[in-house]
């Protein structure tokens, strides 16, 4: 089955370290997204990409960067991790049919910054 | 601007009781509305979308343009319905989905 996968699934790191979270998809979708989920704050959009050459900031992009290496791959980097970046991170893809979109989510990466 | 409001962070109901999760939106055009669900330790998944007019796992949602609402309803709650529910809006044009902050539903046996 076509899917959205994320690696790693869990990560513990220290303040100041650079880390990368990876997302791959076999759905053939052009659009990919990174969100973080925090209790009480719901889902917040970090970055999104509508195709390989397109990168857009979301609601909370400070402290993060992304790379769209191919249609199927979208990586999120934390240049210098800080404790308040401890969260559950989700990647998502979407198709864009008839001017609307439905998003499909990966399993999430649980990140703890000490 | 597109905005989705879910006024309740937590909703607790007894098994067998009716459930209504509220969602209000702000959008000047003609939106498409979705409900996503996240069960414990699982990924978000699409529950239903208003254009499909379908019932999934006993849940229904009707788009009320006059009240700008898309409330999720189920007549008899089950324990397995306990989850986090997100309402989302897709507007026209080149913009991502806008999510509400979510409502955690807890069904008590």
């Amino acid at each position: 089955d076509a899917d959205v996968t994320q690696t790693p699934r869990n990560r513990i790191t220290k303040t100041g370290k650079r880390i990368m979270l990876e997302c791959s998809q076999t759905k053939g979708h052009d659009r990919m997204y990174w969100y973080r989920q925090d209790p009480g704050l719901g889902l917040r959009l970090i970055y999104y990409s509508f195709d390989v050459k397109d990168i857009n900031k979301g609601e909370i992009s400070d402290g993060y960067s992304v790379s769209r290496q191919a249609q199927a791959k979208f990586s999120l980097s934390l240049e210098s991790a800080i404790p308040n970046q401890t969260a559950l991170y989700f990647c998502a893809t979407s198709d864009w049919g008839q001017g609307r979109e439905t998003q499909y989510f990966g399993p999430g990466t649980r990140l703890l910054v000490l | 601007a597109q905005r989705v409001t879910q006024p309740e962070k937590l909703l607790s109901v007894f098994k067998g009781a009716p459930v209504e999760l509220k969602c209000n939106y702000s959008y000047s055009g003609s939106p498409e509305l979705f409900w996503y669900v996240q069960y414990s330790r699982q990924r978000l998944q699409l529950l239903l979308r208003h254009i499909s007019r379908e019932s999934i796992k006993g849940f229904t949602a009707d788009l009320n343009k006059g009240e700008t609402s898309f409330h999720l309803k189920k007549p008899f709650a089950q324990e397995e319905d306990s989850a986090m529910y997100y309402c989302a809006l897709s507007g026209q044009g080149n913009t991502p989905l806008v999510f509400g902050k979510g409502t955690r539903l807890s069904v008590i046996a």
Side-chain angles (χ1 to χ4, degrees), chain A residues 11-13 15 19 36-39 41 44 64 78 81-89 109-114:
Chain A
R11 179 75 185 268
I12 300 173
T13 192
T15 297
I19 67 163
R36 65 177 281 176
Q37 185 182 43
D38 299 274
L41 297 177
R44 292 183 291 169
Y64 302 94
L78 284 67
I82 56 176
N84 78 0
Q85 290 178 313
T86 293
L88 182 56
Y89 289 85
T109 294
R110 195 169 294 276
L111 176 65
L112 173 61
V113 183
L114 300 175

Side-chain angles (χ1 to χ4, degrees), chain B residues 13-27:
Chain B
V13 301
F14 286 104
K15 179 181 174 181
V19 174
E20 183 178 56
L21 299 167
K22 290 183 168 38
C23 172
N24 289 91
Y25 67 90
S26 173
Y27 181 62

Side-chain angles (χ1 to χ4, degrees), chain A residues 70-100:
Chain A
Q71 186 203 38
K73 296 186 182 296
F74 192 36
S75 301
L76 176 71
S77 294
L78 284 67
E79 298 302 324
S80 179
I82 56 176
N84 78 0
Q85 290 178 313
T86 293
L88 182 56
Y89 289 85
F90 286 103
C91 174
T93 72
S94 71
D95 56 2
W96 181 251
Q98 300 178 339
R100 306 293 193 176

Side-chain angles (χ1 to χ4, degrees), chain B residues 32-60:
Chain B
E32 182 173 356
L33 276 297
F34 303 81
W35 277 99
Y36 282 80
V37 61
Q38 185 183 22
Y39 300 103
S40 179
R41 298 191 175 278
Q42 294 187 26
R43 69 182 75 188
L44 279 86
Q45 55 187 283
L46 180 66
L47 180 62
L48 55 79
R49 51 197 298 180
H50 90 269
I51 62 169
S52 301
R53 294 188 166 276
E54 55 195 346
S55 173
I56 305 294
K57 299 184 179 184
F59 284 98
T60 59

Side-chain angles (χ1 to χ4, degrees), chain B residues 71-91:
Chain B
H71 303 328
L72 184 67
K73 300 177 182 179
K74 185 170 183 177
F76 308 103
Q78 302 299 315
E79 290 180 74
E80 56 266 29
D81 296 329
S82 294
M84 192 75 176
Y85 291 81
Y86 289 95
C87 182
L89 177 153
S90 175

